Amino acid sequence: MPSPGGIIIYTNAESTCNGMGLGQIVCSDKGIINTTHEKLPEHAALDQAEAYGIYLALRYADLRTAVNIKDCSIVSSSKTTLRACTHDEKISEIIRSSRELLYSRISQIRLLWVPANTGCPGIKSAKNIAKMATRQLNPTSKGFSYEPDLLLTT
């Protein structure tokens, strides 16, 4: 549960036979305040989708902390992607953009890893929303499909 005036964003990418989906749930101390799901283009890989999810969560948090959110935790089951946001040298443009957002608000945003098999309700719900997104006929993620350079490794 987030602290009063804070939020937690659970993000998860899911690959099914129908494609790649991304799901996010935003919770405050009063409960769920926002959910989003997107079907990603066919070329999306799971690690790219996880990175894109963290990037979107950071953008959401950045907008909210500029207004009145005191702190934010972003929770993902992708340890590799979370590590890339803070440690790895060889990074994609989306990770570089995520780092910029993270470090611009370092005191207000925390990245947290929760193993996928722990049964964390927020991660499970984000996973279900991501699966639901894969059932859509066409990709719905404008940012992912119109920013393919964000996925390139430099």
Side-chain angles (χ1 to χ4, degrees), residues 37-104:
H37 64 278
E38 298 184 16
K39 181 171 184 174
L40 304 179
E42 287 181 22
H43 67 274
L46 187 60
D47 59 338
Q48 293 171 329
E50 293 283 5
Y52 185 63
I54 291 171
Y55 172 71
L56 290 180
L58 284 163
R59 281 184 38 195
Y60 183 92
D62 189 52
L63 292 173
R64 296 310 174 268
T65 54
V67 182
N68 61 357
I69 297 298
K70 293 178 182 161
D71 62 67
C72 173
S73 296
I74 297 171
V75 181
S76 171
S77 61
S78 177
K79 191 175 197 177
T80 303
T81 305
L82 290 169
R83 179 172 165 68
C85 286
T86 58
H87 292 90
D88 289 352
E89 294 301 318
K90 187 176 179 183
I91 59 173
S92 66
E93 188 59 34
I94 196 161
I95 294 295
R96 187 182 328 280
S97 298
S98 294
R99 281 185 186 176
E100 289 172 9
L101 286 169
L102 178 62
Y103 293 140
S104 71

